[in-house]
Each structure stands twice: as C-alpha cells, then as structure tokens.
Amino acid sequence: MFWLNTRRIIKSGFVSFWRNGFVSLSSVLIMTLTLFVLGSLMFASALLNSSLDEIRSKVDVNVYFAPSADEEEILALRNKVEALPEVAQVEYVSRDQALENFKAQHENDEITLQALEELGENPLGAILNIRAKETSQYEGIAKFLDSESGENGQFIDKVNYYQNKAAIDSLTRMIDGSRKIGLAITIVLIAISILITLNTIRLAIYIAREEISVMRLVGASNRYIRGPFVISGVMYGVVSALATLVVFYPVTYWVSSITETFFSGFSLFDYYTANFAQVSALIIGVGILLGAISSYLAVRRYLKV
Amino acid sequence: MIYFDKVTKIYSDDTVALEDVTLKIEPKEFVSIVGHSGAGKTTLIKMILAEDKPTKGSVLFESVNVHKLKDKHVPEYRRRFGTVFQDFRLIPGKTVFENIAFAMEAAGRSDDEIASDVPHVLDLVDLGRKIWSFPRELSGGERQRVAIARAIVNQPDVIIADEPTGNLDPVNTYEIVQILKKINDLGTTVVLTTHNKGVVENIGKRVITMEKGRLVRDDKEGRYAI
C-alpha cells in the first residue's frame, strides 16, 4: 500500500510537472535565478577570500638586527618567534644574503654599488621576516619583539612594525569590514531570492487550488494530495540546479578572463572546475530543499479541512 | 442513514443558511431537495460532506457524528460518498481516465482494478470512446457524465448531486436524471438538489422543499411546490 501510493505520487508529480509546462517553466526560471545568486555569492566570497589572503600575505613585520648581532642569538630568537601561536611563517635572511639582495636590487645603480665597495665590509644586518596568521596579530608580535630587544639592547636595530602600523591597522579594518559587508549582502540577497521562489511556487499551487479541493472531495488523504506537488517542487529544484550549473560554465570562464590579472592569478573558472563536486552538491541540495519545502508549505494552505 | 438533528448554520456575516433543520434520509431513498438559490440547499450538502460545521445541532451518518470526526478520518468518510456538482469539478490537468482513476487511487484500489473498472464505468455513462480526452475537450453533458462515472466508481453508499443539471440543456438534463435513477434502482441512496421543475416531476420520488434556510415541505410522492 505504502509503495503503491509512493509510486503513484512520484508518477503523478512527474506528469503534472510536464503537463503544466508553462507554470513549471516560470518556477524553474525564478528558481534558477535564486540558485544563480546563491552560486555567485559563493564565488564572490571565494574571490574576496583569495584576494584578502593575497593582500595579507604581502604584509609582514621585518626585524632588522644590528650588523654586530651574533648569528646564534638571532637564530635563537627566530625559534622563539616561530613558537608563537600567532606566527604563520618566519624567514631568516642572513647578513650575506641581505648583501646579495641589496646588490641585486641596485644592480643598475653604479654609485650605490661603488659606495658599498668603498666601505669594504658588509654594512647590513641580518633580517627576520615575520608573517602572522591575522593582520591584527602584528601588534602582539611587535610587543613581544620589543620585550626581547629590551634584554639585548644593541641586538635589534629596529622593528618596522611601528612605521607600518597605520597601514596594517587600516588593512585589518578593511578586511574585517569587507567580511561583514559581504556576509550582510549575502544574507539579504539569499533571503530575497528565497522569498521570491516561495511566492512563485505559491502562485503555481494557487492555480491548482480547485484541483486540490476536488481531490479532497473524492476523499484523497492529505499526504496523497500533497505528495505530487512536493515531487514537482523537487523537480523544479533539480532542473533549476542543473540549468544553473550549466550557465556557470561560460559565466565563470568569461569572468576569469577579465579578472584574472586583477585578482593576481585567481581564476574563477579553475575554482569552479576544481570544486565542481561541492558546488554542484550545494546548488542541487539547496534547489531540492527549496522546491520541496515551498511546495509543502504552499499546499498546506489548501488542505485545511 | 443520514440524520439532521436541529441543525442551524449561521455564517460569520450573520447570514442564516440553515435554521433548525431536522431531517432523516433512509437507505436506498432518492431524495430531491428543492428551493430557490440561497434557500440553504448547498449548505445542507456541505454539512453531509463534512465540508462545513453546523453552528448548532448535529449531523449523523449511520450513528457517527460527522462533525466530531478527526481530521485524518475525514478523507475516509468522504469516500463513502460520490459527488456530482453543477460545475462538474473535474481535474483539468488529468484525462478522463485519470480523473476517474484518481478517485480509485485515493481509495487505495489496485492498478488491476483501476484498469478494469474505469473503462467499465465509462461504458455505463456511454463515454467509452472519450477515455483519453481532457475535460476541456468535452461538452458540458459529457463532463457531467464523467463526474457521475467518478462518483459511482468506488460503489459509494450515497450519491450527492448538487444541481447537477444546472448547466445542461434539456436533453442532457434528461439523460443525467435517467442515469441517477438507474443508480438509485441499483440500490444506492441519491440526494439531489435542484431548482428545475421538470427534473423533480420526472423523478416522482420524495421531495423536500426549503425556503430561507428552513424546511417547509416534505412530500413522499414529490411535486415541485414553489
């Protein structure tokens, strides 16, 4: 009995999806838009995160040591810094390395190179380039370094955090802000598109209200009446999700081609193809849920005895 | 079989649709309920089908109080009736076959039964050749015959026909009445509402006359008295 009914409900859902072609088409179109918005927001957040990561990775704090500083002490400090939980990466540039870098940088600057030559010995100190996990953590790291340099007075020449403090602070605020704004926009857009989908499906079922009253009259149970509408709703979801996934193909390709240089190598198209399984699971899942729940709620209105 | 005990129905806008109606319908009876529009005929029908609740009094069907049924038992209860309406109430998106099959599916009948009973019942109302048509492709008389086929397919205890001939021409009206009489002869109770004088005279059975929500006449050998 249960299987007989289930089979009939599913079949009837398919048939009415097909026969009410125009209603189905409009529901599918609206739902495709909803899912497209959802997917776009997902891509936008991936894009935002990747560019924020990119910016963040360019920020670091440099510790310049006095040329006289002992290399072993520097390495000991490096180990201490590395042990800090906030620190993502520490790069040690030795005195010789620093000189090499300097020379390479001023390769075309004869005067500077000559001056360096005159000096005879290496005037540069070693450097630690420290990268934190979050930009807001630089202050803590700088304070730690301050306390370290207190012990070894002549040891650290300078920590460039204080010169860059304003820039780092405003960057931290920007990242925080864009996260919050992004989240707010996402929530608002998703809410709007879900409401529109709900209403469209409600309208589609409003058209069928006479049909529902006839079904009640011939003694069909609520479950039996509701079932086919929910199945149709699920089909709206699946068809819209597939349409959305297909549309994203050329769209992400096109967006990548114009933004790739701007977003420093992050390709939306590559992101889409690499994460296709997750993206499609999410889009199809949301489509099915949205279709089923809106149909369920919309039919309920007409089922009250 | 059906018993109205001092039933009063007042709608929320203070319209009195039924006033103190007491009435008994026996099994295998053919009862015609006549009266002007607004006399309360349709409200009476809604009470029997548990579509609406009385304000006062109670409606009993075989000693079951209809309006004390739990919501989940209402569909089951309605399957004991076959209904025919003035506006046919077929499902537009389903073919003739599917419209009738739906009533059988709702009653949990098997696919084999559906495949054999639907053509049979359509032959009874002389519509066998239209089995795959949609309602919009049928004439009024044909649609009403589909509705009757749907009403009788589950062999209900009672056929409720609410102005079934209201939208039909005299020839179709005559045919529908003949079909209803045949159903009654085979042992099914029929409750018919109408304001068509010819229909009532033609049937020649019990006639209940209603006026402004009250039951004003109840004649065994009926005539149209208003």
Side-chain angles (χ1 to χ4, degrees):
Chain A
M1 189 65 201
F2 176 77
W3 287 115
L4 183 68
N5 275 344
T6 308
R7 208 192 67 223
R8 282 174 176 165
I9 284 170
I10 291 173
K11 187 182 158 210
S12 162
F14 270 74
V15 169
S16 73
F17 176 84
W18 184 247
R19 282 198 191 142
N20 301 318
F22 193 73
V23 173
S24 302
L25 183 72
S26 57
S27 304
V28 163
L29 279 179
I30 293 292
M31 210 146 158
T32 306
L33 277 177
T34 301
L35 295 176
F36 189 82
V37 168
L38 183 78
S40 306
L41 290 170
M42 212 159 67
F43 288 136
S45 97
L47 209 61
L48 181 70
N49 277 335
S50 111
S51 35
L52 290 182
D53 278 348
E54 186 68 29
I55 294 170
R56 219 182 294 135
S57 73
K58 289 193 172 131
V59 176
D60 57 5
V61 161
N62 312 109
V63 185
Y64 297 93
F65 295 94
S68 57
D70 181 32
E71 187 164 12
E72 266 179 30
E73 276 182 74
I74 295 172
L75 289 175
L77 180 66
R78 181 181 80 165
N79 290 340
K80 271 195 212 166
V81 173
E82 258 176 347
L84 293 177
E86 304 93 307
V87 171
Q89 199 193 353
V90 183
E91 188 194 3
Y92 171 64
V93 182
S94 68
R95 290 186 64 198
D96 297 340
Q97 184 69 46
L99 186 65
E100 288 295 309
N101 292 351
F102 186 85
K103 278 184 180 162
Q105 249 172 40
H106 298 88
E107 181 169 51
N108 300 318
D109 191 348
E110 280 303 319
I111 302 166
T112 311
L113 287 180
Q114 239 168 21
L116 198 64
E117 205 71 19
E118 297 281 303
L119 270 172
E121 63 170 305
N122 182 0
L124 297 171
I127 306 168
L128 275 185
N129 296 321
I130 302 167
R131 193 165 292 161
K133 286 175 183 147
E134 297 289 333
T135 47
S136 57
Q137 291 164 338
Y138 282 111
E139 186 154 17
I141 296 171
K143 286 221 172 85
F144 170 79
L145 291 168
D146 269 356
S147 66
E148 287 295 309
S149 65
E151 290 166 27
N152 317 287
Q154 301 306 308
F155 174 56
I156 291 179
D157 186 28
K158 70 171 189 189
V159 177
N160 74 347
Y161 169 72
Y162 296 100
Q163 285 88 340
N164 298 341
K165 188 175 189 306
I168 289 176
D169 279 355
S170 73
L171 188 66
T172 307
R173 276 198 301 275
M174 258 172 61
I175 290 173
D176 264 11
S178 51
R179 279 240 179 85
K180 274 180 197 146
I181 293 169
L183 189 70
I185 292 176
T186 306
I187 289 171
V188 169
L189 282 179
I190 287 179
I192 290 173
S193 40
I194 286 178
L195 279 178
I196 292 174
T197 307
L198 266 169
N199 268 321
T200 309
I201 290 186
R202 223 162 80 189
L203 222 57
I205 288 173
Y206 177 79
I207 294 168
R209 70 197 182 286
E210 295 279 325
E211 196 172 324
I212 294 171
S213 79
V214 174
M215 290 173 172
R216 281 179 42 207
L217 213 60
V218 301
S221 67
N222 283 356
R223 198 182 83 91
Y224 198 75
I225 296 172
R226 190 191 288 127
F229 287 101
V230 174
I231 296 290
S232 292
V234 168
M235 289 191 59
Y236 298 156
V238 172
V239 173
S240 318
L242 294 179
T244 310
L245 291 173
V246 169
V247 169
F248 269 136
Y249 235 78
V251 168
T252 51
Y253 190 78
W254 176 70
V255 171
S256 298
S257 70
I258 51 173
T259 59
E260 206 158 3
T261 44
F262 181 66
F263 285 107
S264 52
F266 179 79
S267 159
L268 208 55
F269 184 70
D270 291 344
Y271 177 83
Y272 180 48
T273 45
N275 296 292
F276 186 75
Q278 288 103 304
V279 174
S280 55
L282 185 87
I283 299 262
I284 292 173
V286 170
I288 288 175
L289 268 182
L290 200 57
I293 293 175
S294 1
S295 301
Y296 185 93
L297 293 178
V299 184
R300 204 176 58 166
R301 263 199 69 187
Y302 303 106
L303 285 182
K304 296 208 173 100
V305 183
Chain B
M1 183 175 220
I2 301 170
Y3 185 64
F4 277 68
D5 184 23
K6 295 186 183 129
V7 173
T8 298
K9 174 69 186 179
I10 301 167
Y11 284 111
S12 52
D13 58 353
D14 289 337
T15 319
V16 180
L18 292 178
E19 200 179 340
D20 205 24
V21 172
T22 299
L23 160 75
K24 196 171 180 186
I25 297 170
E26 301 291 347
K28 301 189 181 178
E29 249 191 317
F30 194 128
V31 183
S32 305
I33 300 171
V34 300
H36 295 297
S37 300
K41 305 186 298 282
T42 300
T43 307
L44 200 81
I45 298 280
K46 281 188 171 168
M47 295 291 151
I48 300 177
L49 291 173
E51 277 198 86
D52 219 336
K53 282 185 162 56
T55 315
K56 261 192 286 184
S58 53
V59 180
L60 299 163
F61 181 83
E62 289 177 348
S63 79
V64 176
N65 189 330
V66 174
H67 299 97
K68 289 199 170 140
L69 281 171
K70 289 205 175 105
D71 281 358
K72 65 173 180 181
H73 295 305
V74 169
E76 217 172 290
Y77 169 75
R78 288 195 180 132
R79 282 178 220 143
R80 306 186 62 174
F81 297 88
T83 47
V84 184
F85 293 92
Q86 180 174 12
D87 54 357
F88 319 126
R89 302 212 190 158
L90 300 175
I91 299 171
K94 291 187 188 289
T95 63
V96 168
F97 178 90
E98 288 165 343
N99 261 285
I100 299 167
F102 185 83
M104 296 184 76
E105 287 173 5
R109 309 275 290 275
S110 75
D111 287 349
D112 290 343
E113 283 178 290
I114 291 173
S116 74
D117 286 10
V118 174
H120 177 68
V121 81
L122 278 173
D123 281 340
L124 278 184
V125 296
D126 198 22
L127 265 183
R129 66 198 181 284
K130 300 273 187 171
I131 192 164
W132 300 116
S133 304
F134 283 94
R136 60 173 180 275
E137 297 159 352
L138 303 177
S139 73
E142 289 170 331
R143 287 183 207 181
Q144 198 57 298
R145 280 184 278 161
V146 175
I148 291 178
R150 180 182 65 189
I152 61 177
V153 75
N154 284 330
Q155 287 131 26
D157 301 326
V158 186
I159 294 283
I160 303 268
D162 191 10
E163 309 243 12
T165 59
N167 277 339
L168 303 178
D169 59 48
V171 176
N172 277 306
T173 298
Y174 178 78
E175 278 178 13
I176 298 293
V177 171
Q178 291 312 308
I179 294 171
L180 289 174
K181 273 166 88 174
K182 201 160 86 187
I183 294 167
N184 180 242
D185 288 341
L186 294 171
T188 308
T189 314
V190 176
V191 179
L192 167 83
T193 74
T194 184
H195 47 228
N196 185 325
K197 190 173 182 211
V199 167
V200 178
E201 315 266 286
N202 184 304
I203 297 165
K205 298 205 172 168
R206 183 179 172 194
V207 176
I208 292 170
T209 308
M210 292 188 71
E211 224 175 271
K212 291 177 186 157
R214 293 178 148 273
L215 212 149
V216 291
R217 289 181 70 123
D218 191 345
D219 305 302
K220 274 281 163 242
E221 289 282 324
R223 323 176 271 116
Y224 196 79
I226 38 175

